[in-house]
Amino acid sequence: MKYKEYKGLNYAEIADNVLDKWKKEEIFEKSISTREGKPAFTFYEGPPSANGTPGIHHVMARAVKDIFCRYKTLKGFQVKRKGGWDTHGLPVELQVEKELGITKEDIGKKISVEEYNEKCRETVMKFKDQWDDLTEKMGYWVDLDDPYVTFEKEYIETLWSILKELYDKGFLYKGYTIQPYSPAAGTGLSSHELNQPGTYRDVKDTTVTAQFKKKGSENEYFLAWTTTPWTLAANTALAIGEKITYIKVETFNAYTFDKSFVILAKDRLASYFNPKDTDAKIEDYNAGDKVIPYRIVEEFQGKDLVGQEYEQLLPYIAPDGPAFKVIPGDYVSTEDGTGIVHISPTFGADDYRVAKQAGIGAIMVKDADGKDAPIVDKRGRYVKEISDFAGIFVKNEYYADGEAPDKSLDVQIAIKLKEENKAFKVEKYEHSYPHCWRTDKPVLYYPLDSWFIKTTAVKDELVALNKTINWKPASTGTGRFGNWLENLVDWNLSRSRFWGTPLPIWVSEDKTEQKCIGSIEELRSEVSKSVEAGFMKSELSDDFDLHRPYVDDVVLVSDSGQQMLREKDLIDVWFDSGAMPYAQWHYPFENKEIFEANYPADFIAEGVDQTRGWFFTLHAISVMLNKKVAFKNVIANGLVLDKNGNKMSKRLGNAVNPFETLEKYGPDATRWYMISNANPWDNLKFNIEGVAEVQRRFFGTLHNTYSFFALYANLDSFDFSNSEIAINQRTESDRWILSKLNTLISKVDQAYEDYEPTKAARLIQDFTIDDLSNWYVRLNRKRFWRGEYNEDKKSAYQTLYTCLMTIAKLSSPVAPFYMDNLYADLNSVTGLEKYESIHLTDFPTSDSSMIDEDLEARMSLAQNISSLVHSLRKKHMIKVRQPLSKILLPVLNKSFKEHVTAVEELIKSEVNIKNIEFVDDDSVILVKNVKPNFRKLGQEYGPKMKAIAAKINQLTDEDIATLEIKNNLELTLDGDSVTLTLEDVEISYQDIPGWSVATEGKLTVALDITLDDDLRKEGIARDLVNRVQNLRKDMGLEVQDKINIRIERNDDLVNSALESNKEYICSETQALSLNILESVADGSELEMDEYKLKVKIEA
RNA sequence: GGGCUUAUAGCUCAGCUGGUUAGAGCGCUACACUGAUAAUGUAGAGGUCCGAGGUUCGAGUCCCCGUAAGCCCA
């Protein structure tokens, strides 16, 4: 049996073959079944929506997921991963609307809800095939055969059971929220409707800076600006920025000329007062003067204003709670207005939020049904309680053509405020304001009924439990997510749409009775009661669809015998996905054991954009139901941008097609690039050239190393059948690479354990390229291709085999196809392992007894010395092929000599020198250089350090000698004396006069560049070997083919070089004979540096 | 407007608890090496470490204020 040798290499083809094998041999299934009975590692799949095509960013997100599931499998866990599909919600509905060319209003009219939802059900799985294809091709292992689907009856039933549990716990309530509302159309507008082009238009409104009189003061006012004066009657608070600086200004009212003190943000002073007026004297002011003087009399921070009270501006209606206080508002700025914001909780979402946080009530009236209502009715008119303006539309645009009054409500209010000394400034102001896209009339922000989940009730638990979650990166957990939890508001669950999970709440006609249904069984029995009561004609059918419109037709009967209708709302789709830990198993109706064994999740990963989406809903539902986290570790990955850092979009044409990339570069290089290039949580600038580079550099090098191994292992029939050679029998370099390898294992293991895949990939890559390929293999080449199949050679094979095998295993989570292939290539010959796939093996364990830090230090020394010698050779244009007699190394310390001696042979062969000589410390020929040890001196002397450092740089050779011998030296500076010890300085050897010297850090190397005839001859011989090897290659000879060499006589030096190195030349070139002849007529002319040789080679 | 992230060579990224000459790979230039060869080595060019201020003997690193880009939310 031979190791497979590759001619060309097609990574995509390898992946295809491996994929076939996985399918045929059911490797994925086995990776789970062979771990039966082992501890579970639970992963939750965040369900994608298949109504769009997958992009390259999905490859990234899923690679991250896949890596840790594969890693944990190798670590002996059983990792079940159920796939899933997110199927409800607005994106699907919008797509269907677009495809059908209809709008929301047409649903139920032009098309029945039934047909519409049927269309949604089809559309949502439109690209499932492409998704499945991508999943397979990129090597993402997830169970696609039995996924959870959020529109399925069982899934919805679990959702209902959860909703009921929340309902029973009192977490579900109906309240209102401020939403964009079109009085003209009589409907709320969704955020996407507001995002349509043309919605925002510039309009000119009458704006008022109102004076809110500070409670208990004579004439002191808070100034607040509004572009919607009609909301002033609903004012219940003033918001300030806690970090903003405010001032109190003494001045006069421009309309009443009354003296007043007004409070506003310091930064806004210039907008309200003309700096030219600053010279005017308050005392000189007369009512009616054009120039109004002002004077700053006090300054304070916003936080000092919090809690101060003021008098109601327009006292038509009493507030329904505490009101008329200064409260903090996180969104208050000094961009415009006064830096004090008027708050009307019924007409602004921010207003509502900050008022609620501060415990401030609203101005409400009772409507016809006796329910709380705002001071503007649903058609946009002031209610009757606003006696002066009852029935007036708040915007002139709401009147029918020609009926609008000359003075809009805003103007009328402005006049009233001016007259009552409540307006500081009234002016027209142009700004952009949203309009209803159907009626073209301005939108109001208006309180509308919604169902809420009272997440604020469990805020403390949400915050506390979040701190137990391991977030990658941590800042997303503490910052983005943590801060947000701190400012949590209740979860608005209602959606007025058609395709989604219906809210299972039925309400009686008089609104006093409610039922929340928690299962199909319960619904069935309630329907039975309803049939009995005569509200329903028939029992619930077995194949009843829980979606609209069917569920809307279900009429129930209340305990007191009233008819009950379902609340029309659907629930937020994020509830669907957030409930997947339970609903994917149809818990609690089925699979109790499976659920319990797989909750909470050990690991989840999604894009950072899911922070307030899936991450939150998972967390919230879990905490509310079980007071537990839903996941213990989470990676929030960043975006995939194009190579210039722009967002990818199909419209701009810069989106990368994942299928083309996988096709061209194969999944392994694609995944490796994505993981190794940047941390998953940083945005990835996807550059296809980077994938090519990874392929060339990492996979190319690894493959070359394998090919090298395979070539010679095949020649020697190495199959690892001999027992493993003891570590102490192996060479220095074998032990070195194995030491490095075991260090690598533990570091990579730790990196995966810490959810740091980038770190893991980079460690593996550096080891493979630098340590294994560029050092170990390069240095040990000859052991593989020269000499008999002895213990040393076996040791080399075994060492390299172990390295390759270990790299394959360590890398397999990231590059699952290629590494499985490599595993098979290696293992099929040796048969050391019984597994069918690398993904069924165990993760390598680091053997700390193999780690020899001393050895690693020695080798590092050898590398540095070699590098310095190379640079010296370069400097003098002496090629490595030309042997040189010796190098000199100044001895740095005791262990230095031992270390170098241990790796002496390596250095000598690497840089082609005959001897290494050491120069002792006290030798006179060394020129010493001394540098301050800043770290030590800084700690010791602090501020004096600079002066001391300057002194040290001026030390003479005698001073250094004194310091070295006595280990102390007195320095005087500014009268003080300081005693230096050897620890305070770093001594290095700068130069050796008469030698060619190179220095790096403390290490210094001197190279003897004199050549004698013997060295020259050897150089010539080596040159010849090189040329002959090239000729052999040109002739297409195999490594083991024998040749005969004839050479035409040349000058004496050359002839004698050939004669004296004949044996060497022959063994290197597999030559049976080397003959120097007077003439070789048919020979080829070989150009050497100083000679030309005529040579003929015969096989 | 708020929260969070990022900013270091032409490009992609390292840079640990502050230590004085800021690194790697790719790319570019030159030279060398070559039984792994679509590799490899050495050297060179290339940096106001986004900007301003502060702390410190010393700041890419710590603090503060900005700028730009991105994401989420208003």
Side-chain angles (χ1 to χ4, degrees):
Chain A
M1 187 110 186
K2 296 282 182 194
Y3 296 98
K4 187 166 175 187
E5 294 184 46
Y6 292 81
K7 293 237 167 58
L9 184 62
N10 182 335
Y11 296 97
E13 197 180 297
I14 288 180
D16 280 348
N17 295 338
V18 172
L19 186 58
D20 282 346
K21 175 184 126 181
W22 287 353
K23 278 195 227 170
K24 212 177 295 161
E25 301 180 22
E26 299 185 322
I27 303 297
F28 174 43
E29 290 74 10
K30 284 177 185 164
S31 81
I32 294 167
S33 61
T34 56
R35 302 294 191 203
E36 200 60 64
K38 295 285 171 59
F41 178 83
T42 302
F43 165 74
Y44 289 161
E45 162 78 338
S49 179
N51 68 319
T53 54
I56 193 78
H57 57 289
H58 294 112
V59 177
M60 174 75 194
R62 309 176 114 208
V64 172
K65 298 175 182 183
D66 192 50
I67 285 167
F68 293 100
C69 290
R70 286 182 191 266
Y71 165 69
K72 287 293 176 178
T73 301
L74 296 179
K75 291 292 279 186
F77 292 87
Q78 186 181 38
V79 189
K80 289 186 177 150
R81 46 276 216 202
K82 198 175 173 72
W85 297 106
D86 191 24
T87 56
H88 283 146
L90 201 57
V92 189
E93 291 207 41
L94 293 181
Q95 194 174 331
V96 168
E97 282 182 16
K98 205 169 151 192
E99 278 173 25
L100 298 178
I102 60 170
T103 66
K104 187 183 170 190
E105 273 59 47
D106 297 328
I107 302 163
K109 293 171 191 152
K110 284 188 190 168
I111 179 173
S112 72
V113 174
E114 192 175 355
E115 287 169 311
Y116 174 79
N117 273 355
E118 197 44 50
K119 183 75 188 166
C120 287
R121 188 188 290 260
E122 283 166 24
T123 303
V124 77
M125 287 302 189
K126 195 168 177 181
F127 298 104
K128 180 174 180 293
D129 289 349
Q130 275 198 42
W131 277 87
D132 286 350
D133 194 30
L134 183 81
T135 303
E136 220 173 52
K137 283 191 173 137
M138 69 163 287
Y140 178 41
W141 273 0
V142 63
D143 183 0
L144 293 175
D145 298 332
D146 182 28
Y148 64 92
V149 180
T150 58
F151 68 55
E152 282 176 354
K153 192 187 220 170
E154 291 74 18
Y155 198 93
I156 294 175
E157 188 177 28
T158 296
L159 299 179
W160 279 18
S161 81
I162 293 170
L163 286 167
K164 172 147 184 155
E165 198 175 332
L166 296 178
Y167 181 88
D168 290 343
K169 287 184 173 174
F171 286 139
L172 235 55
Y173 72 95
K174 194 172 189 178
Y176 69 80
T177 175
I178 311 300
Q179 291 168 14
Y181 173 79
S182 172
T187 173
L189 298 173
S190 61
S191 57
H192 85 276
E193 283 174 302
L194 274 191
N195 281 332
Q196 300 209 330
T199 301
Y200 281 86
R201 286 180 220 158
D202 285 340
V203 292
K204 234 178 198 172
D205 278 324
T206 299
T207 70
V208 173
T209 301
Q211 297 189 160
F212 294 83
K213 191 175 191 180
K214 188 168 163 181
K215 205 169 188 177
S217 80
E218 179 67 24
N219 52 1
E220 205 173 320
Y221 303 95
F222 296 104
L223 297 187
W225 178 65
T226 179
T227 57
T228 52
W230 58 269
T231 61
L232 287 169
N235 172 280
T236 53
L238 293 172
I240 51 84
E242 291 185 288
K243 290 179 192 160
I244 296 173
T245 303
Y246 292 87
I247 46 174
K248 190 196 283 183
V249 179
E250 184 177 6
T251 188
F252 297 89
N253 186 283
Y255 308 112
T256 62
F257 317 122
D258 289 356
K259 176 150 177 195
S260 50
F261 293 88
V262 297
I263 297 167
L264 74 164
K266 192 178 182 185
D267 291 350
R268 303 301 303 164
L269 184 71
S271 306
Y272 284 92
F273 298 96
N274 191 336
K276 285 184 204 150
D277 299 349
T278 189
D279 296 334
K281 289 234 161 50
I282 300 274
E283 294 74 23
D284 298 344
Y285 180 75
N286 293 309
D289 283 358
K290 279 259 163 64
V291 172
I292 300 180
Y294 70 95
R295 186 167 65 193
I296 300 173
V297 294
E298 214 179 326
E299 183 171 317
F300 19 67
Q301 289 302 304
K303 59 177 190 294
D304 301 329
L305 292 175
V306 171
Q308 295 190 12
E309 295 184 67
Y310 63 91
E311 293 174 10
Q312 186 172 12
L313 189 74
L314 294 167
Y316 293 105
I317 301 157
D320 69 352
F324 314 125
K325 282 185 188 167
V326 176
I327 62 171
D330 50 23
Y331 63 97
V332 176
S333 80
T334 54
E335 295 281 305
D336 47 26
T338 63
I340 300 176
V341 175
H342 137 67
I343 298 294
S344 53
T346 46
F347 300 116
D350 275 329
D351 304 38
Y352 177 75
R353 180 171 56 85
V354 296
K356 192 158 190 192
Q357 279 170 359
I360 296 290
I363 303 284
M364 304 288 265
V365 295
K366 296 286 177 196
D367 68 5
D369 299 333
K371 282 175 59 185
D372 282 340
I375 61 166
V376 174
D377 68 16
K378 290 214 162 181
R379 290 186 53 200
R381 295 174 304 194
Y382 258 171
V383 294
K384 61 180 191 304
E385 284 83 350
I386 311 288
S387 48
D388 295 332
F389 308 108
I392 299 179
F393 282 96
V394 299
K395 295 264 178 198
N396 262 8
E397 288 88 340
Y398 298 153
Y399 286 97
D401 285 348
E403 288 178 16
D406 294 344
K407 290 191 170 67
S408 71
L409 178 58
D410 286 341
V411 174
Q412 294 182 49
I413 288 174
I415 293 170
K416 178 180 165 72
L417 293 174
K418 280 182 186 175
E419 287 167 359
E420 295 178 0
N421 191 33
K422 288 174 176 170
F424 186 76
K425 195 174 187 184
V426 173
E427 60 186 341
K428 289 274 186 187
Y429 179 79
E430 188 171 286
H431 63 134
S432 104
Y433 194 83
H435 289 68
C436 170
W437 58 281
R438 271 182 301 140
T439 61
D440 276 345
K441 303 206 164 169
V443 160
L444 295 186
Y445 287 89
Y446 196 86
L448 294 173
D449 279 338
S450 279
W451 282 88
F452 288 88
I453 297 180
K454 202 183 282 175
T455 42
T456 49
V458 292
K459 182 177 136 182
D460 293 345
E461 283 109 313
L462 287 169
V463 169
L465 285 166
N466 177 46
K467 288 177 180 155
T468 70
I469 297 171
N470 176 31
W471 283 85
K472 300 297 285 190
S475 60
T476 299
T478 54
R480 189 183 271 233
F481 196 64
N483 288 349
W484 186 62
L485 288 180
E486 296 284 352
N487 295 302
L488 197 67
V489 294
D490 285 342
W491 179 359
N492 184 353
L493 198 61
S494 294
R495 296 293 183 272
S496 339
R497 296 292 314 191
F498 300 93
W499 176 241
T501 302
L503 187 71
I505 294 178
W506 274 258
V507 178
S508 67
E509 284 179 296
D510 69 356
K511 315 278 182 194
T512 58
E513 292 175 85
Q514 285 182 2
K515 272 185 186 170
C516 182
I517 304 298
S519 70
I520 294 169
E521 210 35 63
E522 188 182 352
L523 185 64
R524 197 179 302 282
S525 85
E526 290 297 327
V527 166
S528 290
K529 288 187 207 162
S530 181
V531 171
E532 225 166 88
F535 293 130
M536 290 281 283
K537 289 207 176 66
S538 57
E539 301 285 336
L540 205 64
S541 66
D542 284 342
D543 58 351
F544 184 75
D545 184 348
L546 298 179
H547 284 96
R548 296 184 75 180
Y550 316 104
V551 70
D552 295 336
D553 298 338
V554 173
V555 179
L556 300 183
V557 57
S558 79
D559 293 345
S560 70
Q562 287 190 72
Q563 176 171 297
M564 299 180 96
L565 297 177
R566 194 184 74 83
E567 292 281 282
K568 283 285 179 281
D569 312 51
L570 299 182
I571 64 168
D572 183 5
V573 278
W574 289 112
F575 193 94
D576 287 14
S577 50
M580 62 70 66
Y582 327 89
Q584 68 173 336
W585 300 114
H586 194 210
Y587 175 86
F589 305 100
E590 290 181 74
N591 300 318
K592 275 194 172 156
E593 305 73 29
I594 300 182
F595 166 75
E596 275 155 20
N598 288 286
Y599 170 86
D602 290 293
F603 170 62
I604 61 171
E606 294 294 332
V608 67
D609 52 339
Q610 295 293 324
T611 307
R612 297 179 192 185
W614 195 51
F615 294 154
F616 171 69
T617 57
L618 273 178
H619 188 56
I621 293 172
S622 182
V623 170
M624 284 189 292
L625 290 182
N626 304 313
K627 294 198 184 300
K628 278 166 82 169
V629 295
F631 48 90
K632 297 177 187 165
N633 300 284
V634 52
I635 293 183
N637 47 265
L639 268 71
V640 179
L641 308 169
D642 77 1
K643 64 177 176 180
N644 298 318
N646 298 315
K647 212 173 162 177
M648 286 189 189
S649 83
K650 281 174 191 153
R651 190 171 52 80
L652 293 173
N654 62 347
V656 175
N657 181 327
F659 294 99
E660 283 172 14
T661 307
L662 292 177
E663 182 71 38
K664 185 159 180 202
Y665 295 95
D668 298 300
T670 307
R671 289 171 59 138
W672 195 274
Y673 163 72
M674 290 178 144
I675 295 304
S676 67
N677 190 63
N679 283 312
W681 39 88
D682 290 330
N683 289 346
L684 173 71
K685 289 184 204 161
F686 188 87
N687 188 347
I688 198 75
E689 286 165 35
V691 183
E693 186 186 322
V694 158
Q695 190 176 76
R696 219 177 38 238
R697 226 169 100 70
F698 175 62
F699 288 95
T701 305
L702 181 58
H703 186 76
N704 269 342
T705 307
Y706 165 79
S707 300
F708 174 83
F709 168 82
L711 177 66
Y712 296 105
N714 282 339
L715 288 178
D716 286 320
S717 300
F718 168 77
D719 60 3
F720 226 129
S721 54
N722 316 83
S723 57
E724 223 170 316
I725 292 171
I727 186 73
N728 57 15
Q729 301 294 309
R730 301 203 191 188
T731 65
E732 181 93 349
S733 58
D734 287 348
R735 281 184 286 121
W736 172 76
I737 194 71
L738 290 171
S739 172
K740 283 282 203 184
L741 183 73
N742 280 282
T743 304
L744 178 76
I745 293 170
S746 66
K747 281 187 180 169
V748 169
D749 197 8
Q750 191 60 48
Y752 281 133
E753 204 60 55
D754 294 342
Y755 294 93
E756 295 269 6
T758 307
K759 211 174 255 180
R762 287 177 179 172
L763 284 165
I764 296 168
Q765 184 169 303
D766 289 347
F767 173 84
T768 305
I769 297 170
D770 296 335
D771 296 332
L772 185 64
S773 173
N774 286 348
W775 191 253
Y776 177 78
V777 174
R778 190 154 60 86
L779 242 55
N780 288 282
R781 268 180 297 192
K782 289 191 177 165
R783 289 170 68 198
F784 291 88
W785 53 262
R786 204 165 51 181
E788 63 191 85
Y789 187 39
N790 57 15
E791 288 301 294
D792 175 64
K793 207 169 190 181
K794 281 178 200 159
S795 168
Y797 281 131
Q798 289 185 1
T799 303
L800 186 52
Y801 181 94
T802 303
C803 288
L804 287 169
M805 186 53 117
T806 306
I807 289 170
K809 286 182 183 173
L810 295 178
S811 312
S812 66
V814 183
F817 296 98
Y818 182 83
M819 297 305 163
D820 203 11
N821 191 64
L822 178 56
Y823 175 82
D825 284 345
L826 292 168
N827 195 53
S828 61
V829 178
T830 63
L832 288 183
E833 298 191 4
K834 57 191 183 304
Y835 306 105
E836 293 160 83
S837 161
I838 198 165
H839 303 291
L840 305 176
T841 64
D842 294 320
F843 199 81
T845 48
S846 175
D847 179 352
S848 58
S849 73
M850 304 277 268
I851 298 175
D852 183 344
E853 281 175 26
D854 215 44
L855 171 59
E856 292 188 21
R858 292 200 288 277
M859 194 59 83
S860 159
L861 204 50
Q863 289 172 328
N864 287 335
I865 292 171
S866 302
S867 158
L868 287 171
V869 175
H870 277 305
S871 84
L872 285 171
R873 280 180 168 275
K874 156 79 189 160
K875 196 162 142 197
H876 296 280
M877 303 284 281
I878 303 168
K879 51 192 166 193
V880 179
R881 230 183 274 127
Q882 174 62 57
L884 290 171
S885 62
K886 62 174 181 276
I887 57 171
L888 286 190
L889 294 175
V891 177
L892 292 168
N893 51 49
K894 279 179 205 152
S895 59
F896 179 81
K897 200 165 175 175
E898 285 168 35
H899 277 179
V900 177
T901 310
V903 290
E904 191 174 345
E905 292 307 315
L906 279 177
I907 298 172
K908 291 198 306 205
S909 80
E910 172 67 10
V911 300
N912 199 12
I913 49 156
K914 300 285 177 198
N915 280 303
I916 295 177
E917 288 178 13
F918 294 97
V919 187
D920 278 344
D921 198 10
D922 48 356
S923 163
V924 282
I925 64 165
L926 292 167
V927 176
K928 285 173 187 169
N929 191 27
V930 63
K931 269 173 72 180
N933 179 347
F934 288 99
R935 191 186 287 262
K936 177 88 180 3
L937 288 171
Q939 282 163 6
E940 212 168 332
Y941 298 107
K944 288 190 205 162
M945 226 245 335
K946 250 183 186 163
I948 298 174
K951 285 270 181 193
I952 290 174
N953 286 329
Q954 289 165 11
L955 290 182
T956 61
D957 288 351
E958 291 79 48
D959 291 333
I960 298 170
T962 313
L963 181 58
E964 281 191 305
I965 295 163
K966 296 210 280 194
N967 191 20
N968 77 63
L969 184 71
E970 293 278 324
L971 288 183
T972 55
L973 49 138
D974 298 343
D976 290 344
S977 96
V978 169
T979 309
L980 286 185
T981 65
L982 277 172
E983 288 190 341
D984 294 328
V985 297
E986 285 169 3
I987 295 174
S988 58
Y989 307 99
Q990 196 181 23
D991 202 6
I992 305 173
W995 287 67
S996 186
V997 172
T999 306
E1000 187 189 303
K1002 286 176 147 188
L1003 189 63
T1004 303
V1005 176
L1007 179 65
D1008 183 352
I1009 54 169
T1010 54
L1011 285 175
D1012 60 23
D1013 274 357
D1014 280 346
L1015 291 172
R1016 275 210 188 86
K1017 285 185 199 165
E1018 209 178 316
I1020 291 167
R1022 285 192 175 225
D1023 258 345
L1024 177 71
V1025 168
N1026 164 248
R1027 299 305 193 277
V1028 172
Q1029 300 289 30
N1030 287 344
L1031 278 179
R1032 284 182 56 113
K1033 220 163 136 192
D1034 292 345
M1035 293 164 68
L1037 296 179
E1038 291 296 320
V1039 176
Q1040 64 275 22
D1041 291 339
K1042 301 293 178 191
I1043 57 168
N1044 293 299
I1045 306 173
R1046 285 180 293 141
I1047 300 179
E1048 192 168 289
R1049 185 170 291 278
N1050 208 295
D1051 73 34
D1052 287 348
L1053 185 68
V1054 177
N1055 295 339
S1056 99
L1058 300 182
E1059 285 297 346
S1060 51
N1061 293 290
K1062 195 169 182 174
E1063 211 165 302
Y1064 162 78
I1065 296 169
C1066 288
S1067 84
E1068 286 290 311
T1069 59
Q1070 307 279 346
L1072 299 170
S1073 67
L1074 170 70
N1075 294 309
I1076 301 173
L1077 306 170
E1078 288 311 316
S1079 156
V1080 181
D1082 54 348
S1084 20
E1085 189 101 312
L1086 291 184
E1087 296 265 355
M1088 321 258 281
D1089 286 347
E1090 292 158 55
Y1091 315 97
K1092 280 183 186 167
L1093 272 182
K1094 223 169 187 184
V1095 176
K1096 177 69 186 173
I1097 296 180
E1098 283 156 338

